[in-house]
Amino acid sequence: MCGIVGYIGHQNACEVVLKGLERLEYRGYDSAGIALLGKDGFRTVKTVGKVADLKNKIGDSGLVGGLGIGHTRWATHGGVTDANAHPHSDEHNRLVLVHNGIIENYLELKEDLLAAGVHFQSQTDTEVAAQLLARLYNGNPLQALCELFRRCRGAFAFVILFNDRPNELYCVRKGAPLVVALGENEAFCASDVPAIVEHADRVVFLDEGEICRLDASGASFWDLNGCAHDHPTTSVDVDPTMIDKAGYTHFMLKEINEQGSVLRRAMSGRITEDTIDLSGEWGISAAQAKAFRRLDLVACGTSFYAATVAQRVLENYLSIDIRVDIASEYRYRPLKADADTLALFVSQSGETLDTLEALRHVKEKGAYTVAATNAPNSSIAREVNDVLRLNAGIEIGVAATKTFTAQLMALILAGLYLAKLRGELDEKDEKRLVSAMKELPYKVEETLTLEAELKALASKFSKARDFLFLGRGISFPVALEGALKLKEISYIHAEAYAAGEMKHGPIALLDEELPVVVVAPEDYLLEKTLSNVQETRARKAPVIFLTTEGVTAPADIAGLIRVPRTEPELSAFLTVIPLQIFAYEAALLRGCNIDQPRNLAKSVTVE
Ligand code: F6R
């Protein structure tokens, strides 16, 4: 949430920072701003809107210099206004600062500053930090930053320029990510790797409580007590082509279409011949695996739905109690977890604050923790015992698509591997599932060819005000994910229910104006779901029936989509795809901003 970029060096900082901000726009995009430090002090331009609006505002103003910072905002404290956009400075323009995160005690700090006669220009918590830092600064940035750290509560990353230090840029991290990279006589910093990947293939991910100074000749690092230390670089495996639309109109469509290869990568190194083997990346022993008495799957949003599908699959194979929970709920629960609990956190970004706090909560109980994430250097990845990589490649569309698929595969394989170590996975089941998994990428690619049919369906229903999604068993979380995708990018209100629950309330909503998407692949619950379709049709609601090839569709339905056959436990890999495409096509017809839907951010680093 919020994207930060900083640059110092021989290039024009304005261009480098703006380009970096464009790459980070998925983190927030309600306002944007930039500040450069030149001979005459700071020049700051900020605006409500996107980086493109900022570029327009900068126009030909000749914003040129070798030192600059920029920001894209996702508003928390203070409305979406030019004044609240970052960078923020203090009243005497001694420094400018950009911020990602929240300063929880900002009101208390602001009251003290107001009492001391400080004048504020904005409603943000960030300006409080800028004003406070300026008062703490007496020519020694390190000392002032250590003190700022001590006084601010919450999670934050700051990048700061001091007016009297024209050759330095400072970064601090506490609870929000920052990465720095060094080039030939230049240095970069950003909230995430895509902003700087084209400049360097080795980076430093700042640690919690770390302060970094960048100048054209390199980087220096200190801890919160002002003690200097070295920080080795890490290589980054981001393929720069991943941050290109590759001819697609939207990143979301590109990412939907990547799911065949995403699945191949998610299985690579985990499936050999007809067996599942994760020993190369997950070093638990059979004795450890046998000692677990409980598996908690914890996540938010789409990741939570992937976890819920995995729970439904894995409870067929693991004898332990498998629970699934929303991170923002789990973190406040009086957990009964202990050292015999395996807690698995699912997060595409690895930075979701609710998930991170849930992880910390269960760690206090002594649980063994694992993260399934697309960001192996993220905050969550650093705090768990083991990491399962999604290897999905960067996902830029704000609505998660390919990472759902990668998460599902990683979770199912990890769970089956656990069952194997515990002696609970039958060899026949393993062979059957592995052989079906190997075919999945082809079947996903076949499902992607349904685009034209889904486009036609979307044009029939894109003006609907509400949608209902139904599914049972594995298909219930798929229905939830379908409804979430539709809400997120087309802004159509959509709800999902376990199909059997419809008669306990939502049935009251049914009429000819409410399209109902029924996710009903071939499995042992199909007949039950078909009965729910009859109940729906009896109340005249148009039904879009999503099923498997070969299933006889109910009469009198408004739309029929068939996906290839697979093993019933794996149906979600295929049924989710038409729902993603349907949401995409509906959003396109409604003229929505698909890759950057309103109010959303890709990485949710606030509570
Ligand atoms: C939906 C979506 C969100 C995320 C959620 C968790 O399309 O992207 O619901 O799934 O914010 O994010 P991660 O997986 O990064 O923890």
Side-chain angles (χ1 to χ4, degrees):
M1 240 156 198
C2 296
I4 291 177
V5 182
Y7 175 76
I8 181 163
H10 50 82
Q11 301 186 54
N12 182 8
C14 183
E15 279 163 30
V16 179
V17 169
L18 287 174
K19 197 159 182 196
L21 290 180
E22 280 173 335
R23 297 266 161 87
L24 292 187
E25 245 184 335
Y26 64 88
R27 297 180 69 85
Y29 33 79
D30 56 42
S31 7
I34 185 167
L36 261 64
L37 178 55
K39 282 195 210 77
D40 309 324
F42 296 118
R43 286 194 59 199
T44 302
V45 182
K46 44 196 204 173
T47 182
V48 163
K50 300 189 184 293
V51 178
D53 300 302
L54 179 64
K55 276 182 163 173
N56 285 339
K57 194 159 176 181
I58 295 170
D60 300 324
S61 67
L63 199 55
V64 178
L67 177 57
I69 57 177
H71 188 268
T72 61
R73 181 169 187 242
W74 185 89
T76 57
H77 295 63
V80 179
T81 63
D82 286 2
N84 287 339
H86 302 211
H88 287 281
S89 59
D90 64 293
E91 57 183 354
H92 303 299
N93 285 319
R94 299 181 71 201
L95 56 91
V96 289
L97 171 155
V98 286
H99 166 219
N100 171 24
I102 286 182
I103 300 159
E104 284 166 3
N105 58 334
Y106 84 105
L107 271 180
E108 195 181 307
L109 297 170
K110 188 169 182 176
E111 272 162 25
D112 291 348
L113 290 164
L114 285 169
V118 173
H119 296 286
F120 282 83
Q121 308 285 330
S122 76
Q123 289 93 47
T124 61
D125 52 342
T126 307
E127 190 189 351
V128 175
Q131 301 278 15
L132 176 60
L133 182 61
R135 290 176 81 85
L136 296 171
Y137 180 55
N138 59 8
N140 184 336
L142 185 59
Q143 215 172 49
L145 288 170
C146 289
E147 187 54 29
L148 182 73
F149 250 119
R150 275 191 278 278
R151 298 211 191 174
C152 293
R153 283 200 309 273
F156 43 80
F158 294 124
V159 177
I160 308 125
L161 302 180
F162 292 92
N163 196 4
D164 60 351
R165 299 197 160 248
N167 302 313
E168 294 170 1
L169 180 153
Y170 286 82
C171 310
V172 291
R173 172 190 169 137
K174 180 182 172 247
L178 264 184
V179 55
V180 305
L182 303 177
E184 206 47 40
N185 297 322
E186 58 183 351
F188 309 81
C189 66
S191 301
D192 200 357
V193 173
I196 54 180
V197 68
E198 71 188 68
H199 305 291
D201 53 8
R202 295 196 69 82
V203 300
V204 174
F205 292 92
L206 291 196
D207 283 331
E208 285 301 287
E210 193 165 32
I211 300 175
C212 167
R213 182 187 66 211
L214 294 177
D215 56 38
S217 63
S220 313
F221 302 92
W222 294 270
D223 67 15
L224 283 186
N225 299 315
C227 297
H229 56 262
D230 288 334
H231 195 144
T233 58
T234 313
S235 68
V236 281
D237 53 2
V238 174
D239 173 359
T241 61
M242 282 283 174
I243 45 186
D244 191 273
K245 285 197 196 118
Y248 286 94
T249 37
H250 295 95
F251 279 110
M252 182 181 177
L253 189 60
K254 176 186 174 223
E255 288 155 4
I256 289 173
N257 278 280
E258 281 171 6
Q259 288 176 102
S261 46
V262 163
L263 274 177
R264 287 185 185 96
R265 282 204 298 277
M267 288 186 279
S268 153
R270 293 171 174 159
I271 289 183
T272 44
E273 294 295 323
D274 46 13
T275 61
I276 297 165
D277 183 1
L278 270 68
S279 58
E281 63 184 306
W282 192 14
I284 56 162
S285 63
Q288 265 176 305
K290 282 179 187 149
F292 293 131
R293 285 186 298 131
R294 163 175 167 165
L295 169 59
D296 288 2
L297 298 166
V298 185
C300 304
T302 290
S303 302
F304 170 69
Y305 298 144
T308 311
V309 176
Q311 180 217 28
R312 300 281 209 269
V313 174
L314 295 174
E315 58 195 7
N316 294 306
Y317 301 102
L318 280 163
S319 65
I320 48 174
D321 190 10
I322 312 178
R323 297 159 195 229
V324 61
D325 207 350
I326 295 168
S328 55
E329 293 291 313
Y330 186 82
R331 66 174 289 198
Y332 293 111
R333 287 232 159 104
L335 298 178
K336 305 284 184 301
D338 57 19
D340 294 338
T341 301
L342 169 60
L344 212 165
F345 295 84
V346 192
S347 175
Q348 182 283 128
S349 63
E351 299 293 345
T352 302
L353 190 65
D354 287 322
T355 312
L356 181 60
E357 291 298 340
L359 160 65
R360 290 175 178 159
H361 184 42
V362 81
K363 268 174 83 171
E364 279 170 16
K365 307 275 174 189
Y368 187 91
T369 57
V370 176
T373 179
N374 209 23
N377 292 297
S378 58
S379 305
I380 291 173
R382 288 150 176 251
E383 295 195 21
V384 286
N385 295 98
D386 289 311
V387 174
L388 299 171
R389 289 173 177 241
L390 300 185
N391 294 326
I394 291 183
E395 188 174 65
I396 294 185
V398 165
T401 52
K402 64 175 178 176
T403 52
F404 173 89
T405 301
Q407 285 168 343
L408 197 50
M409 184 51 87
L411 293 176
I412 292 177
L413 287 176
L416 293 175
Y417 179 59
L418 190 66
K420 211 172 145 175
L421 290 176
R422 293 169 59 88
E424 294 173 352
L425 182 65
D426 188 274
E427 211 173 295
K428 253 177 39 209
D429 278 331
E430 184 179 9
K431 282 203 169 113
R432 176 179 62 83
L433 289 170
V434 165
S435 136
M437 281 172 176
K438 284 183 178 164
E439 287 175 13
L440 275 178
Y442 305 100
K443 294 188 173 175
V444 162
E445 278 149 11
E446 203 182 320
T447 309
L448 289 167
T449 64
L450 294 171
E451 196 178 335
E453 281 173 57
L454 288 157
K455 201 187 196 107
L457 261 185
S459 66
K460 203 161 153 189
F461 290 106
S462 67
K463 293 205 172 67
R465 216 190 54 176
D466 309 283
F467 264 81
L468 186 63
F469 286 68
L470 300 176
R472 280 175 185 260
I474 286 170
S475 299
F476 171 41
V478 175
L480 284 161
E481 173 61 4
L484 180 66
K485 287 287 92 86
L486 193 64
K487 279 186 271 213
E488 281 182 305
I489 59 166
S490 76
Y491 315 140
I492 300 174
H493 169 242
E495 281 195 60
Y497 268 86
E501 271 290 287
M502 187 180 64
K503 57 188 174 294
H504 298 291
I507 200 163
L509 296 170
L510 297 185
D511 63 17
E512 48 277 87
E513 301 294 315
L514 180 74
V516 180
V517 179
V518 182
V519 188
E522 189 171 37
D523 63 17
Y524 71 104
L525 293 167
L526 176 61
E527 274 188 16
K528 299 279 173 206
T529 312
L530 282 169
S531 305
N532 302 127
V533 172
Q534 296 313 326
E535 291 155 14
T536 308
R537 283 306 303 129
R539 281 144 191 100
K540 300 199 167 49
V543 168
I544 300 169
F545 193 67
L546 172 53
T547 190
T548 313
E549 276 165 8
V551 168
T552 311
D556 194 22
I557 50 175
L560 173 64
I561 296 293
R562 286 197 165 102
V563 297
R565 295 181 92 140
T566 183
E567 290 299 312
E569 297 96 318
L570 304 179
S571 63
F573 287 101
L574 302 178
T575 50
V576 75
I577 288 173
L579 302 182
Q580 295 169 342
I581 301 175
F582 180 74
Y584 173 83
E585 296 295 346
L588 198 61
L589 288 165
R590 290 165 70 95
C592 301
N593 187 335
I594 291 178
D595 284 334
Q596 294 174 351
R598 69 183 180 209
N599 304 339
L600 295 180
K602 184 102 189 129
S603 178
V604 185
T605 52
V606 295
E607 255 197 86

